[in-house]
Amino acid sequence: MIKKVDCRGLNCPQPVIHTKKALEEMTQGSIVTIVDNEVAKENVKKFAQKMNAKVEIEEKEGIFYLTITKENGKNSQSSMIFPEKSEHGEFIILIGNDKIGEGSEELGSILMKSYLYTLTEVEPRPDKIIFMNSGVKLTCSSSSLENIKKLEELGVEILSCGTCLDYYGLKQELQVGKISNMYTIVEALNEARKSIVL
């Protein structure tokens, strides 16, 4: 019996994450991921192809059925997409805004929440996430707070810039992680093997 992964109505990146989990639970065989929009179809298709899985797509009345076949031994590890952590230096993400990108503030907030959620679902996770400037608002009160707390529970060190918290009057509002300073932040970034700035 082929497992069905029904992702209709789910926002990005959830269809890819649910598909990834289903593929990781099996060594070989097929699953059918069901999505209801073109973007989700393309994202799941590209993900499956990166996993070296065979993908067949069928459309019925605007619903896409992606049959993804995993052959034994060919694609059992997600490390093809998420390489193992290096033992030299840390992987650090610096978040300097409470939104991603420019333009619509509402869309920017949705994208940030989606990004932080996705970090809880993939490996390797960052060793540290540093929040600066308006990014510190995310560690105090935001729709992303639950995801940041989950990341901390998963072993990610959460640091917020003390100067930034003071500037926004949020030092007493911090709900997750620790207060840090510019020296510690610069030192961590200098020693990092990889850093991403948002």
Side-chain angles (χ1 to χ4, degrees):
M1 184 172 155
I2 295 176
K3 181 175 182 175
K4 290 188 178 176
V5 182
D6 192 343
C7 298
R8 286 175 283 191
L10 297 182
N11 294 326
C12 170
Q14 293 184 60
V16 170
I17 288 170
H18 288 299
T19 300
K20 175 182 176 287
K21 285 181 178 178
L23 286 171
E24 287 174 343
E25 290 171 0
M26 56 191 274
T27 54
Q28 66 181 27
S30 298
I31 64 166
V32 175
T33 297
I34 305 166
V35 296
D36 56 4
N37 65 79
E38 191 77 30
V39 172
K41 177 197 81 168
E42 287 302 312
N43 288 343
V44 171
K45 176 181 144 186
K46 288 174 188 172
F47 170 79
Q49 289 172 336
K50 283 184 181 177
M51 291 286 287
N52 295 323
K54 181 180 172 187
V55 184
E56 295 176 11
I57 302 170
E58 183 180 354
E59 180 184 359
K60 294 179 186 173
E61 298 177 5
I63 306 295
F64 299 96
Y65 299 82
L66 293 89
T67 302
I68 302 166
T69 304
K70 181 175 182 179
E71 296 177 18
N72 190 23
K74 273 195 166 183
N75 43 39
S76 59
Q77 298 298 320
S78 61
S79 62
M80 292 177 180
I81 298 170
F82 309 111
E84 293 298 316
K85 281 189 179 185
S86 164
E87 293 183 15
H88 308 292
E90 294 182 310
F91 169 25
I92 298 175
I93 297 175
L94 175 66
I95 297 179
N97 200 326
D98 57 342
K99 299 164 192 62
I100 292 181
E102 295 181 21
S104 166
E105 288 194 13
E106 181 182 6
L107 176 58
S109 295
I110 291 168
L111 292 174
M112 181 60 78
K113 183 177 181 181
S114 179
Y115 178 75
L116 290 166
Y117 166 74
T118 303
L119 287 177
T120 69
E121 297 292 332
V122 300
E123 292 200 23
R125 290 182 190 91
D127 297 288
K128 288 184 171 95
I129 302 178
I130 300 169
F131 294 87
M132 294 183 71
N133 208 325
S134 66
V136 298
K137 294 176 182 179
L138 297 167
T139 60
C140 296
S141 177
S142 72
S143 61
S144 298
L145 202 54
E146 182 181 326
N147 294 323
I148 299 169
K149 286 180 178 178
K150 184 173 180 185
L151 285 163
E152 186 175 50
E153 289 168 12
L154 292 168
V156 178
E157 187 176 3
I158 305 297
L159 300 172
S160 289
C161 166
T163 302
C164 305
L165 288 166
D166 278 339
Y167 180 85
Y168 289 108
L170 294 172
K171 209 169 223 177
Q172 303 304 315
E173 308 297 320
L174 187 67
Q175 294 191 42
V176 60
K178 300 178 206 162
I179 296 173
S180 191
N181 59 71
M182 191 58 74
Y183 180 83
T184 302
I185 291 168
V186 170
E187 187 176 54
L189 290 170
N190 283 343
E191 293 175 0
R193 69 175 165 84
K194 177 181 178 184
S195 59
I196 296 174
V197 178
L198 289 181

